[in-house]
């Protein structure tokens, strides 16, 4: 029966090879491909250097300090990817939308995907990768925090990277359904030293 499940992954693929990109690559090379149909909406933004995109998950100031050309190019890719997402959901039977997000502008961008997928009654998993999410949440006025809480509540699950993060969500947003999936590594490349 699991062969019938079609999961759409939304996030960046390498290059570059940051945490989100590495997770996406490992997921697509995992044995899950044997049990589920996995499709990917690659959200990498060609033409924008890594040093410029770093600000989108570490704070608003950095995101808006980049050159105007890169900001416009980033918006172009964001609009294009969202249109592709809407078309993809319209043309394919998707059961689960798995969205990979960081904080700040990355989070707000992914909220459009959450809202659209919810309108179409898709199951939604939001996977938060950015290490700044707690700071992002706490920096906002209480009204914005309620809005973040509401948007996360639209998700069937919010994946966090550690028990510490889960405790933060349980304390600040107790109605958000969280699940811990820690970052993994491929152990095959490491050798145990004897001695």
């Amino acid at each position: 029966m699991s062969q019938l499940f079609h999961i759409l992954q939304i996030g960046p693929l390498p290059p570059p090879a940051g945490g989100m990109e590495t997770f996406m690559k490992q997921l697509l090379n995992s044995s899950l491909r044997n049990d589920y149909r996995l499709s990917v909406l690659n959200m990498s933004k060609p033409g924008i250097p890594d040093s410029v995109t770093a600000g989108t998950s570490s704070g608003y100031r950095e995101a808006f300090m980049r050159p105007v050309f890169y900001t416009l190019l980033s918006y172009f890719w964001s609009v294009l990817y969202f249109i592709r997402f809407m078309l993809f959901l319209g043309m394919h039977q998707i059961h689960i939308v798995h969205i990979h997000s960081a904080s700040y502008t990355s989070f707000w961008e992914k909220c459009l995907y959450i809202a659209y997928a919810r309108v179409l009654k898709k199951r939604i998993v939001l996977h938060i990768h950015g290490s700044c999410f707690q700071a992002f949440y706490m920096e906002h006025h209480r009204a914005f925090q309620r809005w973040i809480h509401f948007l996360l509540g639209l998700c069937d699950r919010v994946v966090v990277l550690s028990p510490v993060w889960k405790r933060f969500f349980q304390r600040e947003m107790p109605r958000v359904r969280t699940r811990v999936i820690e970052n993994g590594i491929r152990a095959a490349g490491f050798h145990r030293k004897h001695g």
Side-chain angles (χ1 to χ4, degrees):
M1 178 169 174
S2 60
Q3 285 285 357
L4 302 175
F5 267 79
H6 190 175
I7 303 173
L8 175 60
Q9 298 289 323
I10 299 171
L13 289 172
M20 214 180 304
E21 293 88 355
T22 301
F23 179 88
M24 291 277 291
K25 181 180 177 184
Q26 289 178 350
L27 180 69
L28 294 174
N29 290 329
S30 74
S31 61
L32 285 175
R33 284 211 103 124
N34 301 329
D35 300 320
Y36 300 93
R37 183 172 173 204
L38 299 179
S39 293
V40 177
L41 175 58
N42 180 5
M43 294 191 67
S44 298
K45 295 180 176 179
I48 303 175
D50 299 344
S51 59
V52 171
T53 59
T56 61
S57 61
S58 62
Y60 294 120
R61 187 167 187 269
E62 291 85 358
F64 293 106
M65 293 293 289
R66 62 188 174 190
V68 174
F69 170 77
Y70 292 128
T71 298
L72 294 175
L73 184 58
S74 178
Y75 289 153
F76 165 79
W77 286 118
S78 295
V79 170
L80 180 65
Y81 290 148
F82 189 67
I83 292 169
R84 284 178 55 198
F85 171 69
M86 292 189 296
L87 292 172
F88 197 91
L89 285 188
M91 296 186 317
H92 300 275
Q93 179 62 39
I94 302 296
H95 298 95
I96 300 172
V97 177
H98 186 180
I99 304 167
H100 298 270
S101 179
S103 310
Y104 297 97
T105 55
S106 171
F107 175 78
W108 295 119
E109 179 182 17
K110 303 312 186 306
C111 287
L112 295 172
Y113 292 82
I114 293 169
Y116 190 75
R118 181 52 61 208
V119 166
L120 295 184
K121 299 184 168 136
K122 304 297 180 187
R123 294 183 66 99
I124 304 164
V125 175
L126 178 68
H127 199 140
I128 297 177
H129 293 267
S131 61
C132 299
F133 197 87
Q134 182 172 344
F136 160 71
Y137 179 83
M138 299 307 286
E139 286 171 11
H140 283 85
H141 184 273
R142 195 71 190 144
F144 270 98
Q145 290 178 352
R146 283 195 289 272
W147 184 237
I148 293 167
H149 188 177
F150 169 76
L151 291 163
L152 293 176
L154 295 176
C155 300
D156 295 283
R157 279 289 180 273
V158 174
V159 174
V160 297
L161 301 181
S162 73
V164 171
W165 282 26
K166 184 175 177 75
R167 287 192 293 275
F168 164 74
F169 276 87
Q170 288 172 332
R171 184 180 71 246
E172 297 293 331
M173 298 170 270
R175 292 189 181 138
V176 173
R177 297 170 296 274
T178 55
R179 177 68 52 95
V180 175
I181 300 179
E182 296 178 348
N183 282 332
I185 60 167
R186 287 185 164 276
F190 296 91
H191 301 285
R192 187 173 180 176
K193 239 182 174 176
H194 297 283

